[in-house]
Amino acid sequence: MVYDQAYARRAKGDLLLSLRGVSKQFGAVTALSDIELDVRAGEVVALVGDNGAGKSTLVKVLAGVHQPTAGTIEYLGQTVTLDTPGKALELGIATVFQDLALCENLDVVANLFLGHEVSPWRLDEVQMEVRAWTLLQELAARIPSVREPIASLSGGQRQTVAIARSLLLDPQIIMLDEPTAALGVAQTAEVLNLIERVRDRGHGVILISHNMEDVRAVADRIVVLRLGRNNGIFTNDNSHEELVAAITGASDNSVSRRAARKLDEPAHESIGDAR
Amino acid sequence: MNETAPKPPPSGNLDRGDTRVRHDVGIRGAVRSFLDRVQSGDLGMLPVFVGLLIISTVFSALNPIFLAPNNLVNLLFDAAAVGLIALGIVCVLLLGEIDLSIGSMSGLSSALLGVLWVQKGLPIPLAIAGAIAAGALTGMTYGLLRNRFEMPSFVATLAGLLALLGMQLYILGPTGSVNLPFASPLVRFGQIYIMPMWLSYLMAIIPGVLMIVGGMRTMKRRADANLSSSGMSVVVLKAVVLTAALLFAVWYLGMGRGVPWMFAVFVLFVVIMDYALRRTKWGRSLFAVGGNAEAARRSGINVKRVRLSAFVVCSSFAALGGVFAASRLASASQQAGTGDVNLNAIAAAVIGGTSLFGGRGSAWSALLGVLVIQAISNGLTLLNLSSSLRYMITGGVLAIAVIVDSLARRSRASHGRA
Ligand SMILES: Nc1ncnc2c1ncn2[C@@H]1O[C@H](COP(=O)(O)OP(=O)(O)OP(=O)(O)O)[C@@H](O)[C@H]1O
Ligand SMILES: [Mg+2]
């Protein structure tokens, strides 16, 4: 496949994904309008914004769950149509959804490998179980048994399973929609470590979180969405107040002027790398 | 503990890192975890065994012929057709969908068999293939209606029930029935052919042997991969009990005519479906779609194709069931597939432990459930009860099965077992 060859050649800083003018309409509701977003190899992009800002919708568009009503998505230099979740996964875009999207009636192993089972005509349960334990230990998971149905796990354990699943296929880009919302202290630290490890391996990461501390700890760039629109791109050099102002929309002038200035500068994406 | 990553204990297994979990080892452990499961509403095959016990005690008290070997042989002959239909409906129930037209489909398939073979003079295999193709086509239609138009399956298949019945009446024409020649192998298959005793005994031993060999291989592979296993004692015990039960059944049936080939073929299909459901990607995706269709879609599963395949498999098995029914009755008539066939097949799957709510079930539920249903029907016939009473009782049994299913589901939800 074309993508496989391209995949091997990605170096840190190469453009993986770029969105131009992406909009999404749900009937009368405009969830996203005219969104621009770039993701580079070896970079963590944080996506922040208030509740209902459209973060999850954007992630779902990139995961192939929703179709954008307008705009183009370029992946590894080619315009792509992400019409099914399977397509996005195949291209190397993996997602941890906010609602996790796990099958409660299946056990942990079955959920991890769902849709990508080892040897489809004679499921290799032993190999899958070994791989499951390896993945879960990487995340410092506290899961008593991988042979229990998901229904018997706690919220945080489920979140860990969902994160582990996104790593399974060694994706090029991994999107995490509030991955640490339900996690304990150690597990949160482990997920942040993991995000850094994944970034250092040259993958792109999109992280959605309401926890500004976590965001500032790992993000190279912070993209703010407000009411379905881009509302500025920030780095760790910006103050907490500026960020909050952009998220909430207060003290509109300075923030939006700054955002507009930043959008005009073509070099703005490299700020994170220079850090 | 204050390290960030729990390291597996130096000599321990990969999956034994968590000290909070009780690891059930050996026979006692198996019994304990079985009791746990039942308590939390994961009943499995338990209702079937309780049901069979009650049924056989009551009916043999009322009429001792019920447990006579030859009556049981007849029961097995009768069970095969409905059992095949139930086996198909398991696939659709796993998705949380339903097919209410399986009875009509089997009726249409008998009619097709009769017309193609007896009236048009086609060779038997071709006639059977035609009937099954009609089933596959019907299933495809349901799948398309469900996928394209989001038509709830119970409406689509209720419409299908009527349409298929109409087609059955149409192709049978004014005479309304076709008699199948008694001397033909197909009818002999449905009425006479019995497995030789030595083969029956061999078949009774094979499952136990396979269980032990398979169990040993799995244990070795798990040990090589540094995973724990619950020990051979449980597997051996299960295999011994199963083999003893099967040998006894074969010996007992052998005092009458023996094991019908028809029933053996049905069991073969159950084994194949069991493999397909538990050990293939397709089977796994049926469970996933039934558990959470959106999650399955987001995992890259083509939900529409899975649905389509389930409906096709279901209707094809219904058609094959129709062929079996025709060969059993030596005729294809307007009555074939009507009456209680539909509900018997659905009830069999549900009694056997396949949930109406999707995401839970097994191929064995068709086999065990159909034995219960057929035992009831056979017992009531022996008592010379009219079909009016039989219908009422079968309806009641289905209601009880669904109540048990709902209660078990609620209990599972509160015990976190989905
Ligand atoms: N399937 C849908 N149908 C209709 N409207 C939707 C749908 N999904 C999202 N929306 C709307 O789109 C807007 C953005 O929702 P989205 O879930 O993307 O917000 P979010 O930024 O992820 O919020 P949160 O921080 O609460 O997770 C909301 O106004 C929501 O009502
Ligand atoms: Mg969200």
Side-chain angles (χ1 to χ4, degrees):
Chain A
M1 239 177 91
V2 198
Y3 298 106
D4 289 337
Q5 296 158 8
Y7 186 96
R9 271 188 267 108
R10 291 304 112 182
K12 189 171 159 64
D14 285 356
L15 195 59
L16 294 177
L17 183 72
S18 85
L19 275 65
R20 292 289 167 258
V22 168
S23 303
K24 175 68 191 175
Q25 210 106 26
F26 289 111
V29 181
T30 306
L32 295 174
S33 71
D34 230 7
I35 297 294
E36 317 267 312
L37 178 74
D38 289 313
V39 181
R40 291 166 185 282
E43 178 190 53
V44 178
V45 179
L47 207 54
V48 299
D50 263 341
N51 294 130
K55 306 178 297 291
S56 299
T57 308
L58 184 56
V59 160
K60 284 181 187 164
V61 165
L62 291 176
V65 174
H66 292 322
Q67 300 314 302
T69 19
T72 55
I73 300 171
E74 245 182 58
Y75 181 72
L76 303 182
Q78 304 182 14
T79 305
V80 290
T81 323
L82 301 169
D83 41 11
T84 61
K87 178 88 170 284
L89 285 172
E90 190 186 312
L91 292 180
I93 305 177
T95 315
V96 179
F97 293 98
Q98 192 168 13
D99 57 7
L100 305 182
L102 299 169
C103 289
E104 299 219 333
N105 58 328
L106 297 180
D107 65 20
V108 174
V109 178
N111 266 285
L112 282 177
F113 284 85
L114 197 56
H116 305 93
E117 286 85 357
V118 178
S119 65
W121 294 104
R122 193 164 191 280
L123 298 186
D124 190 341
E125 297 288 353
V126 173
Q127 197 185 327
M128 290 200 276
E129 191 169 331
V130 169
R131 182 101 170 78
W133 280 114
T134 323
L135 268 176
L136 290 171
Q137 272 168 8
E138 234 177 274
L139 291 167
R142 297 219 174 270
I143 289 185
S145 160
V146 291
R147 288 299 175 191
E148 287 292 310
I150 291 288
S152 67
L153 298 186
S154 78
Q157 290 170 332
R158 292 178 200 204
Q159 205 152 40
T160 314
V161 173
I163 295 172
R165 178 169 70 177
S166 71
L167 297 172
L168 184 74
L169 298 177
D170 195 24
Q172 186 73 83
I173 291 185
I174 157 165
M175 302 191 286
L176 306 129
D177 194 348
E178 302 195 18
T180 55
L183 293 191
V185 181
Q187 286 74 21
T188 301
E190 215 54 57
V191 168
L192 295 181
N193 285 346
L194 173 97
I195 289 175
E196 281 168 350
R197 281 206 301 278
V198 170
R199 175 194 60 196
D200 294 341
R201 259 189 253 156
H203 303 217
V205 180
I206 298 178
L207 170 70
I208 296 180
S209 176
H210 288 297
N211 184 335
M212 288 306 140
E213 242 175 79
D214 293 353
V215 166
R216 282 178 174 273
V218 293
D220 298 302
R221 280 185 304 129
I222 306 173
V223 174
V224 178
L225 289 191
R226 184 169 149 66
L227 302 176
R229 293 176 178 279
N230 280 106
N231 203 26
I233 296 171
F234 296 80
T235 66
N236 270 335
D237 301 336
N238 296 98
S239 73
H240 187 66
E241 287 68 34
E242 282 177 296
L243 196 55
V244 171
I247 293 172
T248 59
S251 70
D252 225 7
N253 296 347
S254 63
V255 177
S256 52
R257 264 205 303 277
R258 188 183 163 77
R261 200 167 69 235
K262 279 188 160 291
L263 273 178
D264 289 340
E265 277 170 30
H268 66 278
E269 284 102 345
S270 55
I271 294 171
D273 295 337
R275 184 165 63 98
Chain B
M1 287 212 280
N2 51 16
E3 84 271 64
T4 44
K7 304 206 167 40
S11 65
N13 293 113
L14 204 52
D15 52 349
R16 288 284 165 90
D18 199 316
T19 48
R20 288 166 305 173
V21 192
R22 190 185 74 209
H23 293 289
D24 295 321
V25 181
I27 295 169
R28 279 178 69 160
V31 171
R32 198 153 58 162
S33 74
F34 172 75
L35 290 179
D36 275 356
R37 277 209 310 277
V38 170
Q39 256 174 13
S40 68
D42 197 350
L43 300 178
M45 309 286 177
L46 195 63
V48 172
F49 291 114
V50 174
L52 280 178
L53 208 67
I54 295 175
I55 291 166
S56 44
T57 340
V58 171
F59 282 128
S60 59
L62 292 173
N63 186 345
I65 294 181
F66 179 76
L67 280 182
N70 265 336
N71 187 50
L72 296 184
V73 172
N74 274 338
L75 194 154
L76 294 188
F77 263 116
D78 291 334
V82 178
L84 277 178
I85 304 176
L87 187 55
I89 196 78
V90 166
C91 294
V92 171
L93 291 182
L94 276 179
L95 295 184
E97 310 273 342
I98 195 146
D99 185 342
L100 296 172
S101 73
I102 39 180
S104 305
M105 186 61 238
S106 73
L108 173 61
S109 146
S110 331
L112 271 173
L113 175 77
V115 169
L116 290 178
W117 171 35
V118 179
Q119 292 187 349
K120 301 269 184 260
L122 251 58
I124 296 178
L126 268 185
I128 294 179
I132 292 175
L137 211 66
T138 310
M140 216 175 280
T141 314
Y142 293 148
L144 287 177
L145 288 175
R146 176 71 182 78
N147 286 338
R148 278 280 156 75
F149 307 111
E150 305 266 311
M151 199 164 168
S153 54
F154 85 92
V155 181
T157 57
L158 206 53
L161 185 154
L162 213 58
L164 296 176
L165 182 61
M167 249 183 276
Q168 178 185 353
L169 299 185
Y170 176 79
I171 64 168
L172 281 173
T175 52
S177 79
V178 179
N179 289 325
L180 310 185
F182 266 100
S184 67
L186 191 61
V187 172
R188 295 169 72 86
F189 171 72
Q191 301 194 336
I192 296 171
Y193 286 158
I194 294 287
M195 259 164 83
M197 276 320 272
W198 64 267
L199 189 57
S200 309
Y201 279 121
L202 188 65
M203 289 294 166
I205 294 171
I206 286 178
V209 173
L210 285 183
M211 262 170 88
I212 291 181
V213 172
M216 261 157 50
R217 272 188 48 191
T218 311
M219 210 170 88
K220 178 156 185 339
R221 283 202 60 200
R222 287 183 67 90
D224 288 348
N226 196 17
L227 292 172
S228 67
S229 31
S230 57
M232 270 316 277
S233 55
V234 183
V235 179
V236 171
L237 183 74
K238 274 187 187 166
V240 167
V241 170
L242 180 73
T243 310
L246 288 177
L247 285 176
F248 174 77
V250 168
W251 168 78
Y252 192 73
L253 292 170
M255 299 209 296
R257 288 158 67 197
V259 183
W261 266 113
M262 195 180 209
F263 190 75
V265 171
F266 163 54
V267 174
L268 179 70
F269 275 111
V270 172
V271 170
I272 293 172
M273 281 306 288
D274 179 57
Y275 181 87
L277 291 180
R278 285 193 310 112
R279 298 298 304 276
T280 70
K281 186 173 174 170
W282 174 75
R284 186 65 47 95
S285 61
L286 282 185
F287 282 90
V289 172
N292 184 344
E294 180 59 19
R297 187 173 85 92
R298 291 191 195 169
S299 311
I301 290 175
N302 188 337
V303 175
K304 293 187 171 179
R305 204 161 60 195
V306 170
R307 275 205 196 107
L308 189 76
S309 69
F311 279 110
V312 168
V313 169
C314 175
S315 296
S316 305
F317 268 119
L320 190 62
V323 172
F324 272 42
S327 76
R328 175 82 188 122
L329 298 172
S331 83
S333 72
Q334 293 183 340
Q335 271 71 50
T338 58
D340 53 359
V341 174
N342 233 341
L343 278 193
N344 276 351
I346 296 173
V350 175
I351 290 171
T354 295
S355 173
L356 283 171
F357 305 100
R360 288 183 67 84
S362 80
W364 294 104
S365 70
L367 174 65
L368 296 170
V370 83
L371 288 181
V372 173
I373 285 287
Q374 208 53 245
I376 294 173
S377 148
N378 179 290
L380 293 175
T381 313
L382 283 183
L383 295 179
N384 272 327
L385 290 179
S386 67
S387 60
S388 55
L389 216 62
R390 264 188 24 222
Y391 284 3
M392 284 191 256
I393 292 178
T394 312
V397 169
L398 176 59
I400 292 173
V402 173
I403 291 171
V404 170
D405 181 22
S406 310
L407 290 181
R409 178 177 131 103
R410 209 160 62 191
S411 167
R412 282 197 308 271
S414 65
H415 286 80
R417 302 192 76 101

